[in-house]
Short mmCIF file of all heavy atoms in Angstrom, two decimals:
data_model
loop_
_atom_site.label_atom_id
_atom_site.label_comp_id
_atom_site.label_asym_id
_atom_site.label_seq_id
_atom_site.Cartn_x
_atom_site.Cartn_y
_atom_site.Cartn_z
N MET B 7 54.24 -39.49 -19.48
CA MET B 7 53.22 -40.33 -20.13
C MET B 7 51.86 -39.81 -19.81
O MET B 7 51.48 -39.75 -18.61
CB MET B 7 53.29 -41.77 -19.78
CG MET B 7 54.23 -42.57 -20.65
SD MET B 7 53.38 -42.98 -22.22
CE MET B 7 52.51 -44.54 -21.87
N MET B 8 51.09 -39.53 -20.80
CA MET B 8 49.77 -39.07 -20.53
C MET B 8 48.78 -40.26 -20.53
O MET B 8 49.01 -41.18 -21.29
CB MET B 8 49.23 -38.10 -21.69
CG MET B 8 50.12 -36.81 -21.66
SD MET B 8 50.05 -35.87 -20.22
CE MET B 8 48.35 -35.43 -20.07
N PRO B 9 47.79 -40.21 -19.58
CA PRO B 9 46.86 -41.43 -19.45
C PRO B 9 45.88 -41.47 -20.65
O PRO B 9 45.30 -42.50 -20.89
CB PRO B 9 46.17 -41.08 -18.24
CG PRO B 9 46.27 -39.68 -17.90
CD PRO B 9 47.55 -39.18 -18.49
N PHE B 10 45.66 -40.36 -21.33
CA PHE B 10 44.56 -40.27 -22.30
C PHE B 10 45.33 -39.76 -23.68
O PHE B 10 46.06 -38.77 -23.68
CB PHE B 10 43.54 -39.45 -22.17
CG PHE B 10 42.76 -39.78 -20.82
CD1 PHE B 10 42.89 -39.19 -19.68
CD2 PHE B 10 41.77 -40.81 -20.85
CE1 PHE B 10 42.19 -39.52 -18.53
CE2 PHE B 10 41.14 -41.21 -19.71
CZ PHE B 10 41.26 -40.58 -18.53
N GLU B 11 44.93 -40.35 -24.83
CA GLU B 11 45.26 -39.82 -26.01
C GLU B 11 44.14 -39.12 -26.65
O GLU B 11 44.29 -38.25 -27.50
CB GLU B 11 45.66 -40.94 -27.08
CG GLU B 11 47.08 -41.41 -26.66
CD GLU B 11 47.57 -42.63 -27.55
OE1 GLU B 11 47.03 -42.75 -28.61
OE2 GLU B 11 48.26 -43.43 -27.01
N LYS B 12 42.93 -39.49 -26.30
CA LYS B 12 41.71 -38.77 -26.81
C LYS B 12 41.00 -38.10 -25.69
O LYS B 12 41.06 -38.60 -24.58
CB LYS B 12 40.74 -39.82 -27.38
CG LYS B 12 41.37 -40.74 -28.58
CD LYS B 12 41.06 -40.07 -29.85
CE LYS B 12 41.69 -40.95 -31.04
NZ LYS B 12 41.86 -40.24 -32.18
N CYS B 13 40.20 -37.14 -25.91
CA CYS B 13 39.54 -36.38 -24.98
C CYS B 13 38.42 -37.39 -24.24
O CYS B 13 37.66 -37.88 -24.95
CB CYS B 13 38.84 -35.24 -25.62
SG CYS B 13 37.64 -34.40 -24.51
N PRO B 14 38.38 -37.49 -22.97
CA PRO B 14 37.49 -38.34 -22.38
C PRO B 14 36.03 -37.82 -22.41
O PRO B 14 35.12 -38.49 -22.29
CB PRO B 14 37.94 -38.34 -20.92
CG PRO B 14 38.83 -37.17 -20.65
CD PRO B 14 39.30 -36.83 -22.02
N ALA B 15 35.96 -36.48 -22.67
CA ALA B 15 34.64 -35.76 -22.73
C ALA B 15 33.97 -35.90 -24.15
O ALA B 15 32.82 -36.15 -24.16
CB ALA B 15 34.73 -34.38 -22.29
N CYS B 16 34.73 -35.75 -25.14
CA CYS B 16 34.19 -35.69 -26.54
C CYS B 16 34.83 -36.57 -27.53
O CYS B 16 34.40 -36.77 -28.67
CB CYS B 16 34.05 -34.31 -27.02
SG CYS B 16 35.79 -33.52 -27.55
N GLY B 17 36.01 -37.22 -27.17
CA GLY B 17 36.69 -38.10 -27.96
C GLY B 17 37.59 -37.52 -29.10
O GLY B 17 38.15 -38.22 -29.94
N ASN B 18 37.67 -36.23 -29.16
CA ASN B 18 38.52 -35.46 -30.10
C ASN B 18 39.96 -35.69 -29.67
O ASN B 18 40.26 -36.06 -28.60
CB ASN B 18 38.18 -34.02 -29.96
CG ASN B 18 38.66 -33.22 -31.34
OD1 ASN B 18 38.33 -33.73 -32.29
ND2 ASN B 18 39.31 -32.04 -31.00
N GLU B 19 40.94 -35.32 -30.62
CA GLU B 19 42.30 -35.42 -30.26
C GLU B 19 42.64 -34.33 -29.47
O GLU B 19 42.22 -33.34 -29.41
CB GLU B 19 43.08 -35.47 -31.54
CG GLU B 19 43.34 -36.85 -32.26
CD GLU B 19 44.15 -36.79 -33.41
OE1 GLU B 19 45.23 -36.27 -33.25
OE2 GLU B 19 43.85 -37.34 -34.43
N MET B 20 43.77 -34.70 -28.59
CA MET B 20 44.24 -33.69 -27.62
C MET B 20 45.64 -33.38 -27.98
O MET B 20 46.49 -34.08 -28.52
CB MET B 20 44.22 -34.04 -26.11
CG MET B 20 42.78 -34.75 -25.91
SD MET B 20 42.62 -35.04 -24.09
CE MET B 20 42.33 -33.39 -23.53
N ILE B 21 46.03 -32.12 -27.80
CA ILE B 21 47.40 -31.58 -27.93
C ILE B 21 48.07 -31.11 -26.71
O ILE B 21 47.31 -30.61 -25.83
CB ILE B 21 47.51 -30.52 -29.11
CG1 ILE B 21 46.68 -29.21 -28.68
CG2 ILE B 21 47.06 -31.08 -30.46
CD1 ILE B 21 47.16 -28.00 -29.38
N GLU B 22 49.40 -31.11 -26.67
CA GLU B 22 50.01 -30.82 -25.48
C GLU B 22 50.21 -29.18 -25.57
O GLU B 22 50.85 -28.87 -26.60
CB GLU B 22 51.47 -31.54 -25.27
CG GLU B 22 51.98 -31.22 -23.91
CD GLU B 22 53.30 -31.86 -23.65
OE1 GLU B 22 53.59 -32.85 -24.36
OE2 GLU B 22 54.04 -31.41 -22.74
N LYS B 23 49.93 -28.49 -24.55
CA LYS B 23 49.97 -27.05 -24.54
C LYS B 23 50.50 -26.55 -23.17
O LYS B 23 50.28 -27.31 -22.34
CB LYS B 23 48.69 -26.41 -24.83
CG LYS B 23 48.30 -26.30 -26.41
CD LYS B 23 46.96 -25.65 -26.57
CE LYS B 23 46.99 -24.13 -26.25
NZ LYS B 23 45.73 -23.52 -26.59
N GLU B 24 51.01 -25.42 -23.26
CA GLU B 24 51.36 -24.76 -21.95
C GLU B 24 50.11 -23.78 -21.59
O GLU B 24 49.67 -23.04 -22.31
CB GLU B 24 52.59 -23.83 -22.01
CG GLU B 24 53.11 -23.49 -20.67
CD GLU B 24 54.43 -22.59 -20.64
OE1 GLU B 24 54.43 -21.61 -21.44
OE2 GLU B 24 55.37 -23.02 -20.21
N VAL B 25 49.61 -24.13 -20.37
CA VAL B 25 48.42 -23.35 -19.93
C VAL B 25 48.60 -22.74 -18.60
O VAL B 25 49.57 -23.23 -17.96
CB VAL B 25 47.25 -24.29 -19.94
CG1 VAL B 25 46.79 -24.87 -21.28
CG2 VAL B 25 47.38 -25.43 -18.86
N GLU B 26 47.84 -21.79 -18.35
CA GLU B 26 47.93 -21.03 -17.11
C GLU B 26 46.89 -21.63 -16.00
O GLU B 26 45.81 -21.76 -16.56
CB GLU B 26 47.76 -19.61 -17.07
CG GLU B 26 48.35 -18.83 -15.90
CD GLU B 26 48.37 -17.34 -16.04
OE1 GLU B 26 47.23 -16.75 -16.11
OE2 GLU B 26 49.31 -16.78 -16.07
N LYS B 27 47.33 -22.05 -14.97
CA LYS B 27 46.37 -22.85 -13.85
C LYS B 27 46.44 -21.83 -12.72
O LYS B 27 47.42 -21.49 -12.12
CB LYS B 27 46.95 -24.04 -13.62
CG LYS B 27 46.17 -24.80 -12.48
CD LYS B 27 44.80 -25.36 -12.84
CE LYS B 27 44.22 -26.05 -11.75
NZ LYS B 27 42.93 -26.53 -12.00
N LEU B 28 45.20 -21.49 -12.24
CA LEU B 28 45.04 -20.81 -11.03
C LEU B 28 44.70 -21.66 -9.98
O LEU B 28 43.88 -22.51 -10.02
CB LEU B 28 43.83 -19.65 -11.21
CG LEU B 28 44.23 -18.44 -12.09
CD1 LEU B 28 42.94 -17.60 -12.12
CD2 LEU B 28 45.38 -17.72 -11.55
N LEU B 29 45.48 -21.50 -8.77
CA LEU B 29 45.29 -22.30 -7.62
C LEU B 29 44.82 -21.38 -6.57
O LEU B 29 45.51 -20.40 -6.39
CB LEU B 29 46.57 -23.09 -7.29
CG LEU B 29 47.04 -24.10 -8.26
CD1 LEU B 29 48.33 -24.63 -7.92
CD2 LEU B 29 46.03 -25.26 -8.35
N ARG B 30 43.88 -21.77 -5.78
CA ARG B 30 43.35 -20.96 -4.64
C ARG B 30 43.51 -21.77 -3.37
O ARG B 30 43.11 -22.94 -3.44
CB ARG B 30 41.89 -20.54 -4.82
CG ARG B 30 41.87 -19.45 -5.85
CD ARG B 30 40.37 -18.75 -5.94
NE ARG B 30 40.43 -18.07 -7.07
CZ ARG B 30 39.99 -18.39 -8.29
NH1 ARG B 30 39.81 -19.73 -8.44
NH2 ARG B 30 40.02 -17.73 -9.41
N GLY B 31 44.01 -21.15 -2.43
CA GLY B 31 44.03 -21.82 -1.09
C GLY B 31 43.93 -20.72 0.01
O GLY B 31 44.62 -19.70 -0.07
N GLY B 32 42.98 -20.76 0.88
CA GLY B 32 42.71 -19.80 1.88
C GLY B 32 42.33 -18.41 1.20
O GLY B 32 41.51 -18.45 0.24
N ASN B 33 43.14 -17.36 1.48
CA ASN B 33 42.85 -16.03 0.79
C ASN B 33 43.87 -15.84 -0.25
O ASN B 33 43.98 -14.79 -0.84
CB ASN B 33 43.01 -14.97 1.79
CG ASN B 33 41.88 -14.99 2.82
OD1 ASN B 33 40.70 -15.38 2.53
ND2 ASN B 33 42.23 -14.85 4.21
N ASN B 34 44.69 -16.90 -0.68
CA ASN B 34 45.80 -16.79 -1.59
C ASN B 34 45.53 -17.37 -2.81
O ASN B 34 44.76 -18.40 -2.93
CB ASN B 34 47.11 -17.26 -0.98
CG ASN B 34 47.46 -16.69 0.28
OD1 ASN B 34 47.40 -15.39 0.47
ND2 ASN B 34 47.70 -17.49 1.32
N THR B 35 46.02 -16.78 -3.87
CA THR B 35 46.00 -17.40 -5.20
C THR B 35 47.31 -17.42 -5.92
O THR B 35 48.08 -16.44 -5.72
CB THR B 35 45.03 -16.50 -6.14
OG1 THR B 35 43.83 -16.30 -5.40
CG2 THR B 35 44.82 -17.05 -7.46
N ALA B 36 47.64 -18.50 -6.47
CA ALA B 36 48.83 -18.63 -7.27
C ALA B 36 48.55 -18.88 -8.72
O ALA B 36 47.72 -19.69 -8.96
CB ALA B 36 49.74 -19.70 -6.63
N ALA B 37 49.24 -18.28 -9.55
CA ALA B 37 49.15 -18.70 -11.10
C ALA B 37 50.40 -19.30 -11.52
O ALA B 37 51.45 -18.82 -11.23
CB ALA B 37 48.91 -17.39 -11.83
N LEU B 38 50.25 -20.54 -12.14
CA LEU B 38 51.52 -21.10 -12.55
C LEU B 38 51.20 -21.71 -13.96
O LEU B 38 50.01 -22.00 -14.39
CB LEU B 38 52.02 -22.21 -11.68
CG LEU B 38 51.18 -23.34 -11.45
CD1 LEU B 38 52.04 -24.55 -10.95
CD2 LEU B 38 50.21 -23.16 -10.23
N LYS B 39 52.34 -21.75 -14.69
CA LYS B 39 52.21 -22.25 -16.11
C LYS B 39 52.60 -23.74 -16.18
O LYS B 39 53.68 -24.00 -15.62
CB LYS B 39 53.20 -21.45 -17.06
CG LYS B 39 52.69 -19.94 -17.28
CD LYS B 39 52.89 -19.62 -18.66
CE LYS B 39 52.01 -18.43 -18.96
NZ LYS B 39 52.77 -17.26 -19.17
N VAL B 40 51.83 -24.54 -16.67
CA VAL B 40 52.11 -26.00 -16.68
C VAL B 40 51.74 -26.51 -18.05
O VAL B 40 50.92 -25.92 -18.80
CB VAL B 40 51.21 -26.72 -15.64
CG1 VAL B 40 51.55 -26.27 -14.24
CG2 VAL B 40 49.77 -26.51 -15.82
N HIS B 41 52.22 -27.68 -18.33
CA HIS B 41 51.92 -28.41 -19.60
C HIS B 41 50.75 -29.21 -19.28
O HIS B 41 50.60 -29.92 -18.34
CB HIS B 41 53.05 -29.22 -20.04
CG HIS B 41 54.12 -28.49 -20.73
ND1 HIS B 41 54.12 -28.18 -22.12
CD2 HIS B 41 55.28 -27.82 -20.21
CE1 HIS B 41 55.13 -27.32 -22.41
NE2 HIS B 41 55.81 -27.15 -21.22
N ALA B 42 49.84 -29.15 -20.20
CA ALA B 42 48.63 -30.01 -20.12
C ALA B 42 48.22 -30.47 -21.49
O ALA B 42 48.61 -30.00 -22.47
CB ALA B 42 47.42 -29.19 -19.53
N GLU B 43 47.39 -31.52 -21.53
CA GLU B 43 46.79 -32.00 -22.78
C GLU B 43 45.49 -31.25 -22.95
O GLU B 43 44.69 -31.35 -21.96
CB GLU B 43 46.58 -33.50 -22.79
CG GLU B 43 47.80 -34.37 -22.62
CD GLU B 43 48.50 -34.44 -24.01
OE1 GLU B 43 47.86 -34.71 -25.00
OE2 GLU B 43 49.79 -34.22 -23.95
N VAL B 44 45.26 -30.57 -23.98
CA VAL B 44 44.16 -29.74 -24.12
C VAL B 44 43.28 -30.21 -25.36
O VAL B 44 43.91 -30.45 -26.37
CB VAL B 44 44.48 -28.19 -24.39
CG1 VAL B 44 43.24 -27.36 -24.47
CG2 VAL B 44 45.38 -27.79 -23.17
N CYS B 45 41.97 -30.27 -25.22
CA CYS B 45 41.11 -30.69 -26.34
C CYS B 45 40.85 -29.47 -27.13
O CYS B 45 40.46 -28.41 -26.62
CB CYS B 45 39.89 -31.32 -25.74
SG CYS B 45 38.64 -31.75 -27.07
N LEU B 46 41.09 -29.60 -28.43
CA LEU B 46 40.80 -28.39 -29.37
C LEU B 46 39.32 -28.21 -29.52
O LEU B 46 38.84 -27.16 -29.91
CB LEU B 46 41.43 -28.62 -30.63
CG LEU B 46 43.05 -28.74 -30.62
CD1 LEU B 46 43.49 -29.02 -32.00
CD2 LEU B 46 43.67 -27.46 -30.09
N ARG B 47 38.49 -29.24 -29.22
CA ARG B 47 37.16 -29.00 -29.53
C ARG B 47 36.26 -28.46 -28.32
O ARG B 47 35.60 -27.52 -28.37
CB ARG B 47 36.48 -30.36 -29.97
CG ARG B 47 34.97 -30.21 -30.35
CD ARG B 47 34.32 -31.57 -30.50
NE ARG B 47 34.79 -32.28 -31.80
CZ ARG B 47 34.54 -33.49 -32.02
NH1 ARG B 47 33.84 -34.25 -31.20
NH2 ARG B 47 34.85 -34.16 -33.22
N CYS B 48 36.50 -29.00 -27.12
CA CYS B 48 35.73 -28.74 -25.98
C CYS B 48 36.51 -27.98 -24.97
O CYS B 48 35.94 -27.51 -23.88
CB CYS B 48 34.90 -29.89 -25.42
SG CYS B 48 35.93 -31.03 -24.52
N GLY B 49 37.78 -27.96 -25.15
CA GLY B 49 38.58 -27.15 -24.19
C GLY B 49 38.91 -28.05 -22.80
O GLY B 49 39.63 -27.52 -21.96
N GLU B 50 38.58 -29.25 -22.76
CA GLU B 50 38.97 -30.09 -21.60
C GLU B 50 40.49 -30.20 -21.48
O GLU B 50 41.17 -30.23 -22.43
CB GLU B 50 38.39 -31.53 -21.91
CG GLU B 50 38.75 -32.55 -20.83
CD GLU B 50 37.57 -32.60 -19.73
OE1 GLU B 50 36.75 -31.74 -19.84
OE2 GLU B 50 37.78 -33.41 -18.83
N ARG B 51 40.99 -30.09 -20.23
CA ARG B 51 42.33 -30.14 -19.91
C ARG B 51 42.66 -31.41 -19.05
O ARG B 51 41.87 -31.55 -18.15
CB ARG B 51 42.75 -28.94 -19.09
CG ARG B 51 42.74 -27.58 -19.81
CD ARG B 51 43.11 -26.54 -18.95
NE ARG B 51 43.09 -25.19 -19.61
CZ ARG B 51 43.53 -24.07 -18.81
NH1 ARG B 51 43.97 -24.21 -17.67
NH2 ARG B 51 43.49 -22.95 -19.48
N LEU B 52 43.75 -32.00 -19.43
CA LEU B 52 44.17 -33.10 -18.63
C LEU B 52 45.60 -32.86 -18.10
O LEU B 52 46.44 -32.41 -18.99
CB LEU B 52 44.20 -34.49 -19.36
CG LEU B 52 42.77 -34.91 -19.83
CD1 LEU B 52 42.98 -36.06 -20.87
CD2 LEU B 52 41.98 -35.24 -18.83
N TYR B 53 45.82 -33.16 -16.89
CA TYR B 53 47.17 -32.85 -16.30
C TYR B 53 47.79 -34.23 -15.90
O TYR B 53 47.12 -35.22 -15.57
CB TYR B 53 47.09 -31.99 -15.06
CG TYR B 53 46.31 -30.71 -15.33
CD1 TYR B 53 45.11 -30.43 -14.95
CD2 TYR B 53 47.13 -29.72 -15.93
CE1 TYR B 53 44.47 -29.27 -15.16
CE2 TYR B 53 46.48 -28.42 -16.15
CZ TYR B 53 45.18 -28.32 -15.79
OH TYR B 53 44.52 -27.07 -15.97
N THR B 54 49.09 -34.28 -16.01
CA THR B 54 49.76 -35.43 -15.64
C THR B 54 49.68 -35.65 -14.16
O THR B 54 49.33 -34.63 -13.32
CB THR B 54 51.20 -35.43 -15.92
OG1 THR B 54 51.88 -34.44 -15.31
CG2 THR B 54 51.46 -35.38 -17.39
N GLN B 55 49.78 -36.89 -13.52
CA GLN B 55 49.81 -37.17 -12.09
C GLN B 55 50.92 -36.19 -11.37
O GLN B 55 50.57 -35.73 -10.25
CB GLN B 55 50.19 -38.56 -11.87
CG GLN B 55 49.01 -39.50 -11.91
CD GLN B 55 49.22 -40.76 -11.27
OE1 GLN B 55 50.44 -41.28 -11.10
NE2 GLN B 55 48.15 -41.40 -10.89
N GLU B 56 52.03 -36.01 -12.10
CA GLU B 56 53.13 -35.31 -11.42
C GLU B 56 52.62 -33.84 -11.20
O GLU B 56 52.91 -33.31 -10.25
CB GLU B 56 54.17 -35.39 -12.37
CG GLU B 56 55.60 -35.02 -11.72
CD GLU B 56 56.74 -35.05 -12.87
OE1 GLU B 56 56.90 -36.12 -13.42
OE2 GLU B 56 57.36 -33.99 -13.01
N THR B 57 51.94 -33.28 -12.31
CA THR B 57 51.31 -31.96 -12.27
C THR B 57 50.32 -31.75 -11.18
O THR B 57 50.34 -30.77 -10.47
CB THR B 57 50.90 -31.50 -13.58
OG1 THR B 57 51.94 -31.59 -14.61
CG2 THR B 57 50.42 -30.05 -13.64
N VAL B 58 49.43 -32.71 -11.12
CA VAL B 58 48.33 -32.77 -10.11
C VAL B 58 48.96 -32.72 -8.74
O VAL B 58 48.52 -31.97 -7.77
CB VAL B 58 47.42 -33.96 -10.25
CG1 VAL B 58 46.43 -33.98 -9.11
CG2 VAL B 58 46.67 -33.78 -11.69
N ARG B 59 49.97 -33.50 -8.45
CA ARG B 59 50.64 -33.61 -7.22
C ARG B 59 51.25 -32.18 -6.82
O ARG B 59 51.21 -31.80 -5.78
CB ARG B 59 51.84 -34.63 -7.23
CG ARG B 59 51.87 -35.40 -5.94
CD ARG B 59 52.94 -36.59 -5.91
NE ARG B 59 52.62 -37.53 -6.91
CZ ARG B 59 53.44 -38.07 -7.83
NH1 ARG B 59 54.63 -37.64 -7.92
NH2 ARG B 59 52.96 -38.87 -8.66
N LYS B 60 51.82 -31.59 -7.89
CA LYS B 60 52.38 -30.32 -7.57
C LYS B 60 51.23 -29.18 -7.27
O LYS B 60 51.49 -28.38 -6.37
CB LYS B 60 53.00 -29.71 -8.93
CG LYS B 60 54.14 -28.62 -8.75
CD LYS B 60 55.20 -28.63 -9.82
CE LYS B 60 54.76 -27.83 -10.99
NZ LYS B 60 55.69 -27.81 -12.09
N PHE B 61 50.20 -29.30 -7.90
CA PHE B 61 48.99 -28.47 -7.51
C PHE B 61 48.64 -28.72 -6.08
O PHE B 61 48.41 -27.75 -5.35
CB PHE B 61 47.81 -28.82 -8.40
CG PHE B 61 47.76 -28.50 -9.79
CD1 PHE B 61 46.94 -29.00 -10.66
CD2 PHE B 61 48.77 -27.55 -10.34
CE1 PHE B 61 47.03 -28.72 -11.92
CE2 PHE B 61 48.80 -27.35 -11.65
CZ PHE B 61 47.89 -27.85 -12.54
N GLU B 62 48.61 -29.96 -5.68
CA GLU B 62 48.26 -30.14 -4.23
C GLU B 62 49.19 -29.58 -3.18
O GLU B 62 48.78 -29.10 -2.31
CB GLU B 62 48.23 -31.86 -3.96
CG GLU B 62 47.29 -32.56 -4.94
CD GLU B 62 45.76 -32.16 -4.55
OE1 GLU B 62 45.38 -31.96 -3.54
OE2 GLU B 62 45.01 -32.00 -5.67
N GLU B 63 50.45 -29.73 -3.60
CA GLU B 63 51.55 -29.12 -2.78
C GLU B 63 51.31 -27.76 -2.59
O GLU B 63 51.46 -27.12 -1.58
CB GLU B 63 52.96 -29.32 -3.24
CG GLU B 63 53.45 -30.78 -2.94
CD GLU B 63 54.83 -31.14 -3.65
OE1 GLU B 63 55.54 -30.17 -3.85
OE2 GLU B 63 54.99 -32.16 -3.93
N ILE B 64 51.24 -27.04 -3.75
CA ILE B 64 51.12 -25.58 -3.82
C ILE B 64 49.79 -25.01 -3.08
O ILE B 64 49.84 -24.08 -2.21
CB ILE B 64 51.15 -25.06 -5.20
CG1 ILE B 64 52.46 -25.34 -5.83
CG2 ILE B 64 50.70 -23.57 -5.31
CD1 ILE B 64 52.52 -25.18 -7.32
N ARG B 65 48.73 -25.89 -3.31
CA ARG B 65 47.50 -25.40 -2.56
C ARG B 65 47.59 -25.61 -1.01
O ARG B 65 47.14 -24.74 -0.22
CB ARG B 65 46.46 -26.43 -3.03
CG ARG B 65 45.08 -25.66 -3.31
CD ARG B 65 44.00 -26.74 -3.87
NE ARG B 65 43.86 -26.57 -5.36
CZ ARG B 65 43.59 -27.48 -6.30
NH1 ARG B 65 43.85 -28.82 -5.74
NH2 ARG B 65 43.54 -27.38 -7.53
N ALA B 66 48.36 -26.70 -0.63
CA ALA B 66 48.48 -26.90 0.78
C ALA B 66 49.35 -25.80 1.40
O ALA B 66 49.06 -25.19 2.51
CB ALA B 66 49.22 -28.32 1.04
N ASN B 67 50.23 -25.26 0.57
CA ASN B 67 51.17 -24.23 1.14
C ASN B 67 50.29 -22.93 1.09
O ASN B 67 50.49 -21.90 2.09
CB ASN B 67 52.36 -24.02 0.21
CG ASN B 67 53.42 -25.06 0.44
OD1 ASN B 67 53.57 -25.61 1.55
ND2 ASN B 67 54.17 -25.37 -0.66
N LEU B 68 49.51 -22.69 0.29
CA LEU B 68 48.62 -21.44 0.18
C LEU B 68 47.67 -21.32 1.31
O LEU B 68 47.38 -20.28 1.81
CB LEU B 68 47.79 -21.44 -1.16
CG LEU B 68 48.61 -21.11 -2.45
CD1 LEU B 68 47.56 -21.37 -3.55
CD2 LEU B 68 49.25 -19.71 -2.43
N GLU B 69 47.33 -22.52 1.93
CA GLU B 69 46.33 -22.36 2.98
C GLU B 69 47.11 -22.06 4.30
O GLU B 69 46.31 -21.63 5.26
CB GLU B 69 45.69 -23.80 3.12
CG GLU B 69 44.56 -23.90 2.05
CD GLU B 69 44.07 -25.34 1.89
OE1 GLU B 69 44.33 -26.24 2.75
OE2 GLU B 69 43.37 -25.60 0.90
N HIS B 70 48.32 -22.01 4.38
CA HIS B 70 49.00 -21.70 5.66
C HIS B 70 48.89 -20.20 5.87
O HIS B 70 48.92 -19.29 5.00
CB HIS B 70 50.39 -22.06 5.60
CG HIS B 70 50.67 -23.53 5.79
ND1 HIS B 70 50.98 -24.11 6.93
CD2 HIS B 70 50.40 -24.58 4.86
CE1 HIS B 70 50.92 -25.45 6.94
NE2 HIS B 70 50.64 -25.82 5.62
ZN1 ZN I 104 36.89 -32.65 -25.87
#
């Protein structure tokens, strides 16, 4: 379930897309493909809580 149906930045409709997210921790970088809601007008991206949690985990691991 996404928390927003409309872009919080510009109010345009958002569509679900697979996007590449770069995560940096310490000297390391990880690129992963995740699903996000993307605004077609301004490019705003929204991630689910589950995805954000995954980012945090990966970032924490990168810092080691
Ligand atoms: Zn927007």
Side-chain angles (χ1 to χ4, degrees):
M7 267 286 272
M8 297 303 295
F10 299 103
E11 285 175 29
K12 303 269 183 199
C13 175
C16 74
N18 204 49
E19 277 186 43
M20 309 196 75
I21 59 155
E22 195 184 334
K23 276 177 74 170
E24 192 177 57
V25 298
E26 197 174 69
K27 172 76 175 172
L28 285 178
L29 293 172
R30 287 189 192 86
N33 296 319
N34 303 307
T35 304
L38 63 156
K39 290 225 166 106
V40 295
H41 282 272
E43 295 284 309
V44 181
C45 174
L46 295 175
R47 187 190 286 169
C48 74
E50 180 85 359
R51 289 178 182 184
L52 296 173
Y53 304 103
T54 61
Q55 276 196 337
E56 199 179 306
T57 302
V58 171
R59 216 176 298 132
K60 200 156 83 178
F61 291 165
E62 299 297 318
E63 273 175 38
I64 291 167
R65 225 178 253 139
N67 285 331
L68 287 174
E69 279 165 16
H70 284 262

